[in-house]
């Protein structure tokens, strides 16, 4: 573990002491509060309690009062809600502008986002506008209570080490947090938090315009919620064998995962990639087929409940992480496995 200072060249302790509290941006995913936002609610509460400050959330959208109430009942001490038809679709320029204005007004010392596609993009816009640091893709967050630092832990240098990063002087301390890694429990509060109408002016002159929103269709991609993931690597041999793996996943009721090697080859879409630069998953069962077990892949799936690896090389590093190992040729073994599933 090493310590890096993201903004050591700025030194202004007088202004940083005006900042108090932990704040989250709560994001929607297909009309529902996103799972990473719910995870952040538990983590934000832990951090706020550790610092002895309130937890606030920023909620933007249309017809969102029910969700604001849910957040106020489940950990948020303050919900800053902007409910407006113009916020129905997440337009990054408009959302970033509201976030910047809200942060400037309420001055939280810590500001967190989910490391989703939008969360990452918004966080970098906001951090740049506020001239503060941003640690992307954190896998662990803690507090140094004496210095009031957010200890932001994430894999660094190609996943070869784990770095704990602090932002000593610029405020707020900002981080995006990977889905599925935070395990803090969300509790229903006896006394719900306050809901504050955050009536900021909504930007109407934007450089970009959203014409249409649509969701990518693909092989079962909902990896975050999948109980079973059948994941493949270069050891599947040929692009044709992908259908074999898909058939197996269908029989097992699982989603398809892949290594970056297959994504780079253009055989599988990026949204199936698991690992440091892909998704982090925690299914009940992770079946790794023809995957070597590079650290950059392992960091995305190591917390799966049961890991079963199929690899023709008995010395493949994946066997060091797997609960069960099968030394076999993938293309020969998959049909045998499917036959067994058919019988049982
Ligand atoms: P290989 O490493 O080539 O392994 C193929 C395996 O298949 C071998 O173990 C081999 O024994 C086995 N095999 C071969 N033939 C058969 C057969 N017939 N039957 C059974 N087994 C067989 N990788 C990711 O996955 N996710 C990431 O997010 C990611 N991010 C990265 C970020 C950075 C900054 C860097 C530098 C790398 C990243 N990588 C990532 C790449 C990673 O380092 C590995 O290169 C990649 O995971 C290897 O993929 P693989 O296991 O499919 O291929």
């Amino acid at each position: 573990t090493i310590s890096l200072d993201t903004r050591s060249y700025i030194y202004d302790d007088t202004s940083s002491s005006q900042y108090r509290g932990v704040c989250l941006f709560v994001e929607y995913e297909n009309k529902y509060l996103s799972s990473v936002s719910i995870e952040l609610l538990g983590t934000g509460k832990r951090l706020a309690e550790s610092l002895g400050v309130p937890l606030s959330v920023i909620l933007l959208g249309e017809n969102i009062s029910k969700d604001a109430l849910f957040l106020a009942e489940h950990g948020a001490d303050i919900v800053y809600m902007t409910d407006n038809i113009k916020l129905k679709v997440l337009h990054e320029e408009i959302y970033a502008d509201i976030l910047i204005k809200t942060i400037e007004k309420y001055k939280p010392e810590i500001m967190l986002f989910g490391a989703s596609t939008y969360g990452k993009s918004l966080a970098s816009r906001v951090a740049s506008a506020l001239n503060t640091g941003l640690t992307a893709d954190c896998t662990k967050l803690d507090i140094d209570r004496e210095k009031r630092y957010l200890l932001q832990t994430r894999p660094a240098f190609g996943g070869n080490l784990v770095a704990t990063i602090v932002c000593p002087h610029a405020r707020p301390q900002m981080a995006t947090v990977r889905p599925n890694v935070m395990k803090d429990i969300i509790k229903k509060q006896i006394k719900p938090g306050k809901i504050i109408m955050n009536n900021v002016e909504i930007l109407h002159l934007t450089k970009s315009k959203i014409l249409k929103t649509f969701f990518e269709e693909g092989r079962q991609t909902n990896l975050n919620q999948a109980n079973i993931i059948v994941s493949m690597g270069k050891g599947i041999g040929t692009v044709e064998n992908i259908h074999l793996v898909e058939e197996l996943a269908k029989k097992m009721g699982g989603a398809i995962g892949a290594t970056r090697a297959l994504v780079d080859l253009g055989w599988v879409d990026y949204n199936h990639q698991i690992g440091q630069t892909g998704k982090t998953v925690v299914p009940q069962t992770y079946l790794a087929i023809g995957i070597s077990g590079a650290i950059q892949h392992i960091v995305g799936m190591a917390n799966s409940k049961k890991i079963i690896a199929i690899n023709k090389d008995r010395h493949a590093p994946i066997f060091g992480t797997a609960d069960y190992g099968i030394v076999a040729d993938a293309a020969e073994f998959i049909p045998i496995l499917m036959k067994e599933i058919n019988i049982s």
Side-chain angles (χ1 to χ4, degrees):
T1 299
I2 58 159
S3 262
L4 299 176
D5 176 349
T6 49
R7 299 287 306 212
S8 55
Y9 50 90
I10 291 187
Y11 192 89
D12 184 359
D13 265 352
T14 44
S15 66
S16 65
S17 63
Q18 297 165 6
Y19 287 77
R20 277 289 177 272
V22 176
C23 186
L24 319 172
F25 168 65
V26 171
E27 192 188 322
Y28 281 93
E29 190 178 84
N30 288 348
K31 299 187 188 152
Y32 298 102
L33 296 177
S34 73
S35 46
V36 66
S37 297
I38 304 290
E39 287 159 22
L40 271 185
L41 201 58
T43 304
K45 191 73 183 176
R46 170 174 57 85
L47 301 176
E49 283 175 351
S50 175
L51 281 166
V53 293
L55 171 70
S56 59
V57 303
I58 301 176
L59 182 69
L60 312 177
E62 191 208 7
N63 286 333
I64 53 176
S65 39
K66 260 195 193 155
D67 295 322
L69 188 61
F70 172 86
L71 296 165
E73 285 175 343
H74 292 85
D77 298 299
I78 308 163
V79 180
Y80 298 118
M81 170 171 94
T82 312
D83 194 334
N84 193 300
I85 190 160
K86 291 182 194 151
L87 303 176
K88 189 174 176 179
V89 174
L90 197 161
H91 187 300
E92 285 183 31
E93 284 174 70
I94 297 175
Y95 269 53
D97 184 65
I98 299 178
L99 283 163
I100 293 160
K101 286 173 181 155
T102 310
I103 295 167
E104 279 176 336
K105 186 169 173 192
Y106 295 106
K107 296 191 171 14
E109 61 200 293
I110 292 172
M111 181 74 217
L112 305 176
F113 293 74
S116 60
T117 310
Y118 280 127
K120 286 187 203 181
S121 181
L122 281 170
S124 47
R125 279 175 188 265
V126 172
S128 152
L130 296 174
N131 197 25
T132 188
L134 170 67
T135 307
D137 274 331
C138 292
T139 51
K140 194 175 160 210
L141 294 176
D142 273 312
I143 295 289
D144 174 336
R145 285 210 288 200
E146 195 191 320
K147 294 187 173 133
R148 302 186 77 82
Y149 287 167
L150 176 65
L151 305 172
Q152 308 156 62
T153 302
R154 55 154 294 159
F157 296 106
N160 290 307
L161 58 83
V162 173
T164 299
I165 297 169
V166 291
C167 179
H169 308 304
R171 290 292 175 273
Q173 302 166 83
M174 282 185 53
T176 66
V177 179
R178 281 204 155 205
N180 287 329
V181 294
M182 297 294 168
K183 300 288 170 228
D184 300 286
I185 292 165
I186 299 151
K187 285 178 243 153
K188 192 158 182 178
Q189 336 198 86
I190 302 160
K191 192 171 165 255
K194 284 188 284 187
I195 299 173
I196 294 180
M197 298 299 167
N198 187 24
N199 292 325
V200 284
E201 199 186 326
I202 296 176
L203 199 70
H204 54 94
L205 266 182
T206 54
K207 288 184 194 143
S208 55
K209 209 172 170 181
I210 296 181
L211 301 178
K212 195 176 170 196
T213 308
F214 54 93
F215 297 97
E216 190 168 5
E217 282 183 29
R219 303 175 177 109
Q220 297 182 43
T221 50
N222 205 354
L223 288 169
N224 288 340
Q225 267 89 46
N227 272 330
I228 299 173
I229 294 178
V230 180
S231 198
M232 54 190 152
K234 239 170 147 180
I236 60 155
T238 64
V239 71
E240 288 75 31
N241 284 341
I242 290 179
H243 298 296
L244 208 56
V245 177
E246 280 180 326
E247 213 182 310
L248 176 63
K250 205 169 157 196
K251 271 197 199 303
M252 293 176 69
I256 297 278
T259 63
R260 177 159 150 182
L262 291 198
V263 175
D264 288 349
L265 280 170
W267 291 6
V268 181
D269 289 342
Y270 167 71
N271 56 5
H272 294 273
Q273 185 181 314
I274 291 167
Q276 187 193 322
T277 43
K279 293 196 166 93
T280 304
V281 294
V282 275
Q284 293 294 323
T285 307
Y286 190 88
L287 182 59
I289 306 174
I291 293 176
S292 59
I295 183 69
Q296 294 88 356
H297 186 79
I298 298 292
V299 292
M301 46 64 84
N303 289 331
S304 305
K305 298 281 175 309
K306 279 277 174 291
I307 299 170
I308 306 161
I310 304 168
N311 197 303
K312 72 170 189 187
D313 173 9
R314 62 173 59 247
H315 302 293
I318 189 78
F319 290 133
T321 307
D323 298 289
Y324 300 99
I326 298 151
V327 180
D329 181 283
E332 282 173 19
F333 189 76
I334 294 171
I336 297 171
L337 189 57
M338 282 204 281
K339 217 165 148 196
E340 286 294 320
I341 294 170
N342 271 346
I343 294 165
S344 55

